[in-house]
Amino acid sequence: MTQLRVAVDVGGTFTDVCIFDEDTKTMRVTKVPSTPHDPMIAVMNGVERGEINLSDVSLFSHGTTVATNALITRKFPAAALVTTKGFRDVIEIRDGTKDDLWDAYNDVSGPYIRRRDRFEVSERIDFSGRTVTPLDEEEARRVAALLKRRGAKTIAVCFLNSYANPAHETRMREILEEEIPDATVSTSAEILPEIFEYDRFNTAVANAVLAPLVSGYVNRLATHLKDGGYAGDLLLLHSGGGSMTPRMVEKYPVRLAASGIAAGAISAKHIAQQCGYENAVSLDMGGTSTDIALIADGELRITKEWQVEYGHPIIFPSIEVLTIGAGGGSLAHIDIAGSLRNGPQSAGADPGPACYSMGGDQPTNTDANVVLGRLGTSLAGGAKSLDKRLSAEAITRFIAEPLNLELAEAAHAIVAVANANMADAVRLISIRRGYDPRDFALLAFGGAGALHGADVARELNIPVVIVPPNPGVTSAMGCLLVDIRHDLSQMYTGLAANADADDLEASFTALESEASARLRHEGVADENALLQRQVSMRYLGQWRSLSVPMGSGEGALKQAITAFHEQYEREFAFRQDGTPVEIYQLHLAAIGKTPKPSFRPHARTSTHPGTPIDTHPVYFGADGWLDTPVYDRDTIPAGARFRGPAIINQLDSTTVVPPYTHAEIDEWLNIRIHLEEILHG
């Protein structure tokens, strides 16, 4: 029986499907338009178009935007918050910051739960976990009865200092479940047992409002797959770079926020290492946005401070990805000062760029690339036809005529602004972190990444660009490469020099016990379980901390302190070895290893790229219009080398090789574009 591994990634414009055959070690891909009103329709359409027999599937992995879109659109079911008396407005007061400090009119959006749906109960536990005021159970039952009358279906319970002692939150949940048996209850101590009530409260609230939506979607999809013959667990990619089963998604739905974004970064890390690069920057340019991640020394950066909307933090470990509004559908426009801008507004999937012929009349990056000859007349293997005339009309009306430019000049300017925006974002995630982009390869993927990769690399003096053979489905491929993962934490404050090694070991052992139970609950065998310890540290008197690996046994803490000093120096360009180091928090990553596809590389056959399938005029700025050979990616032999300019067509994307570079088809995996001016100039 055929064994297939299937991964589906839902994007803003297209839903991508990767199908890996374990018997032949081959991969095929397909794309279908996304269905924003119900993403499951696009997922099942992808299964149908990919001619997938679900009874032949051994693994089905999915990156979803359901949680992210729900937080953005705020289309939540009736939700409520129960908190300590006097702390009803913690999630509204926030931390007092703004995204734009100098814009007096740009306010942070309101909390996910309105003030009239937030209720108080008398109780108090101090910082050490000691009960100061017992939970008023009579008052708690009155609140539960009121919530029942108001029809609350999902409730967050957030009590002050519950991270130190969750007894009151646990009892409040029991009362709510007794009074409202069909309600979903999230307690902050269970979701995030950490100090700082604003961060903890908001994470628990986000988990609560997402619970009915996400679990409903996941369970519906799992049922459809099962009815179609799939016998395994549906695996959902989460923001931390691992996957979860539907059973755990029901408990921690907030972890699916930024699910699809993480998939691209994971895939980029794998591809870069396959190509021999431990340092790489991933440039994932889709239809709406560009996601940029940094891979240094073979590892992705992890952050605990992120948010879908500014002012609403979600404090779970997440792959650090910088997202900007630069995609194929990003709108080009002229601002009130007369300057050309690109994004962040987007035409999205509907109506899409002007060339989609779906009613859009404003110019986008896709329209500019069509006018410049960098794109042909179809996308996604013919699934989407493009009308160059409509692109030209939109650019002429909104950009060329107001700026007194020729059509090609205006289109080239649109692309140049998009490239500049992406280059600035790469600088933020590399130079700002103490890394030199010249020491990295640029991995360009997504439906539009290969169109812009070489230009962005040239701007940043990055010498090598890597383009996968199917750039538009690279994020979907990332879903095939992840393990089941859970992240646990525990507060542990105190000077490192005074820490008791036995006490630290006992704390980690307790976390490992819970982690092992979670993995077994998801069907992970003990031999496939991997537990990784980390400890967050900071210099005494500081607020923010850094996480470093933590071993076990004698000398582990001393080694962690040394690693902290080194990491601090990398991050901030100085260190304070004479300043006492404070332990802030313990972390544990629980990883359940899943089998990975084993790819079979092609043999290198010829350095000649073969015969182009067409010749097409392409505008290259200062070089003007050049007759450019067009190649079919599937017919180019492994090992082929050719000098730009060239256009390489693929099922889901187009790669542009500019006149000043040469490209090399290398093994099964990639097109390497070498920027000769940088390498030899």
Side-chain angles (χ1 to χ4, degrees), residues 612-616 626-631 642-648:
I613 59 174
D614 196 6
T615 301
H616 192 66
L626 300 178
D627 288 332
T628 304
V630 180
Y631 295 88
F642 49 93
R643 173 87 184 189
I647 296 291
I648 302 173

Side-chain angles (χ1 to χ4, degrees), residues 192-534:
L192 188 75
E194 298 183 10
I195 200 172
F196 297 129
E197 59 270 15
Y198 163 53
D199 294 340
R200 175 162 47 88
F201 283 20
N202 199 80
T203 303
V205 164
N207 195 80
V209 298
L210 289 174
L213 293 172
V214 173
S215 61
Y217 167 77
V218 169
N219 289 329
R220 281 195 304 121
L221 178 57
T223 299
H224 273 72
L225 294 175
K226 183 178 180 180
D227 292 344
Y230 177 54
D233 266 332
L234 170 64
L235 294 183
L236 286 302
L237 183 72
H238 63 66
S239 57
S243 59
M244 306 165 67
T245 63
R247 291 188 296 273
M248 294 308 293
V249 169
E250 290 182 357
K251 193 171 183 179
Y252 302 103
V254 71
R255 296 228 63 184
L256 293 190
S259 165
I261 295 175
I266 293 165
S267 194
K269 172 187 171 182
H270 175 78
I271 293 171
Q273 290 177 334
Q274 290 280 305
C275 297
Y277 294 92
E278 291 295 306
N279 293 337
V281 175
S282 70
L283 185 82
D284 180 2
M285 185 178 183
T288 305
S289 62
T290 295
D291 303 316
I292 300 168
L294 186 83
I295 301 122
D297 298 324
E299 296 296 332
L300 288 158
R301 286 182 59 90
I302 301 295
T303 180
K304 285 197 66 180
E305 298 181 14
W306 62 284
Q307 54 226 328
V308 174
E309 285 184 285
Y310 186 85
H312 305 286
I314 297 173
I315 312 300
F316 270 118
S318 174
I319 293 174
E320 185 177 53
V321 178
L322 178 61
T323 300
I324 63 170
S330 293
L331 298 174
H333 58 281
I334 298 173
D335 65 16
I336 58 175
S339 298
L340 177 62
R341 302 289 181 183
N342 193 306
Q345 300 85 0
S346 174
D350 186 8
C355 59
Y356 278 20
S357 305
M358 294 173 58
D361 62 353
Q362 298 186 64
T364 66
N365 289 325
T366 297
D367 293 307
N369 281 309
V370 168
V371 166
L372 295 173
R374 296 155 67 98
L375 276 177
T377 57
S378 67
L379 287 177
K384 180 73 70 174
S385 297
L386 307 181
D387 190 328
K388 183 176 179 179
R389 177 185 59 84
L390 294 177
S391 293
E393 290 177 358
I395 293 173
T396 299
R397 176 185 172 190
F398 289 98
I399 305 299
E401 289 182 350
L403 295 179
N404 196 26
L405 296 173
E406 295 293 331
L407 175 61
E409 292 176 327
H412 188 263
I414 291 171
V415 171
V417 172
N419 291 338
N421 290 341
M422 288 185 282
D424 283 344
V426 174
R427 291 187 183 99
L428 285 175
I429 207 167
S430 58
I431 297 174
R432 190 174 181 181
R433 298 283 190 257
Y435 297 96
D436 188 338
R438 295 173 295 184
D439 298 332
F440 289 71
L442 184 73
L443 211 145
F445 59 97
L451 282 168
H452 297 258
D455 291 327
V456 173
R458 190 186 191 198
E459 173 77 14
L460 295 164
N461 288 343
I462 295 175
V464 176
V465 181
I466 303 169
V467 181
N470 299 112
V473 297
T474 302
S475 290
M477 189 180 83
C479 295
L480 293 176
L481 302 170
V482 299
D483 296 310
I484 292 174
R485 174 176 175 136
H486 298 285
D487 296 280
L488 292 79
S489 63
Q490 177 184 318
M491 298 305 302
Y492 191 102
T493 54
L495 288 176
N498 299 335
D500 185 292
D502 292 336
D503 190 31
L504 275 173
E505 182 65 26
S507 296
F508 271 119
T509 299
L511 289 175
E512 288 170 344
S513 177
E514 181 181 350
S516 297
R518 289 193 190 184
L519 292 178
R520 283 193 292 270
H521 182 65
E522 297 202 278
V524 177
D526 290 346
E527 61 269 21
N528 294 326
L530 175 64
L531 305 179
Q532 297 177 336
R533 298 178 176 185
Q534 282 197 324

Side-chain angles (χ1 to χ4, degrees), residues 447 496 538:
R538 58 193 180 187

